[in-house]
Amino acid sequence: MEVYYFTFTGTSKQIAEEVVKKVGGRLFSINSVKLPYVCWLFLSFFPGLKLKSSFKPPTSKRLVVCFPKWTTNCPPVTYFFSWLKKNGYSFDEVNLIISYKGWKKELYLNHYSSVLKKLAKKVNFYFLKQKNWKEEIKNLVLG
Ligand SMILES: Cc1cc2nc3c(=O)[nH]c(=O)nc-3n(C[C@H](O)[C@H](O)[C@H](O)COP(=O)(O)O)c2cc1C
């Protein structure tokens, strides 16, 4: 299993590290330009917008991807999935672990369900509240 993360304030990295501790696997980051909060907020309003990110291409058929919930879209993560699709990757299972403050997860669920269509046979969503993720992750069973 390969565990990827993208983070702005560090939570998703901590979550990814915890997942590796729990289930094993290797940790990889999705790297993007560093922008201030207001810029990310603005960009996150455009569904489907991609912003170039860099990462090690996966070699496994099962992925975990940890990232934050941003309004309608997280552009570096959308780029990651689009790049994989464009380059002919396919997965048996992708587990998305999304940290958020607690608002409007349905928007994201719909968006990333459509982004991952045809890329993965099975997609699982796990939303963890930023304030409480250390507790919530204890009950998380992947797959
Ligand atoms: C640009 C931006 C947009 C956000 N939009 C939402 C949102 O729509 N709903 C929500 O619950 N939290 C939202 N948040 C809060 C983050 O999802 C939350 O703080 C997350 O745990 C941060 O993860 P990170 O530390 O890995 O960056 C937003 C944060 C940012 C920076």
Side-chain angles (χ1 to χ4, degrees):
M1 177 111 76
E2 288 170 322
V3 181
Y4 283 81
Y5 69 86
F6 170 80
T7 189
F8 179 56
T9 56
T11 317
S12 304
K13 181 177 183 197
Q14 290 180 52
I15 291 173
E17 287 167 348
E18 190 59 31
V19 170
V20 170
K21 260 195 229 157
K22 254 172 95 96
V23 300
R26 295 180 61 203
L27 190 65
F28 300 101
S29 60
I30 297 169
N31 306 298
S32 186
V33 287
K34 307 272 181 256
L35 295 176
Y37 169 75
V38 280
C39 295
W40 284 130
L41 184 62
F42 177 72
L43 295 175
S44 72
F45 279 108
F46 297 92
L49 180 77
K50 305 171 197 99
L51 198 74
K52 196 170 178 356
S53 55
S54 61
F55 42 84
K56 183 202 144 299
T59 54
S60 150
K61 285 282 177 188
R62 285 182 76 217
L63 291 188
V64 174
V65 186
C66 305
F67 61 106
K69 196 263 177 194
W70 281 1
T71 325
T72 65
N73 181 37
C74 183
V77 174
T78 301
Y79 177 92
F80 171 72
F81 289 127
S82 306
W83 185 92
L84 295 176
K85 208 186 263 183
K86 207 172 97 192
N87 287 281
Y89 283 77
S90 66
F91 300 93
D92 292 336
E93 186 183 296
V94 175
N95 295 286
L96 304 180
I97 306 184
I98 299 165
S99 74
Y100 77 134
K101 292 240 179 189
W103 342 303
K104 301 226 172 103
K105 65 179 183 188
E106 297 72 23
L107 260 179
Y108 234 44
L109 209 149
N110 295 341
H111 173 51
Y112 283 102
S113 298
S114 100
V115 167
L116 279 144
K117 216 190 247 169
K118 296 187 188 150
L119 188 61
K121 286 185 194 142
K122 192 169 175 220
V123 183
N124 301 309
F125 284 84
Y126 306 92
F127 283 87
L128 302 182
K129 292 219 175 94
Q130 185 179 25
K131 224 165 58 179
N132 207 26
W133 74 264
K134 287 183 184 158
E135 277 307 306
E136 292 179 1
I137 205 166
K138 288 181 187 161
N139 305 320
L140 188 139
V141 181
L142 295 178

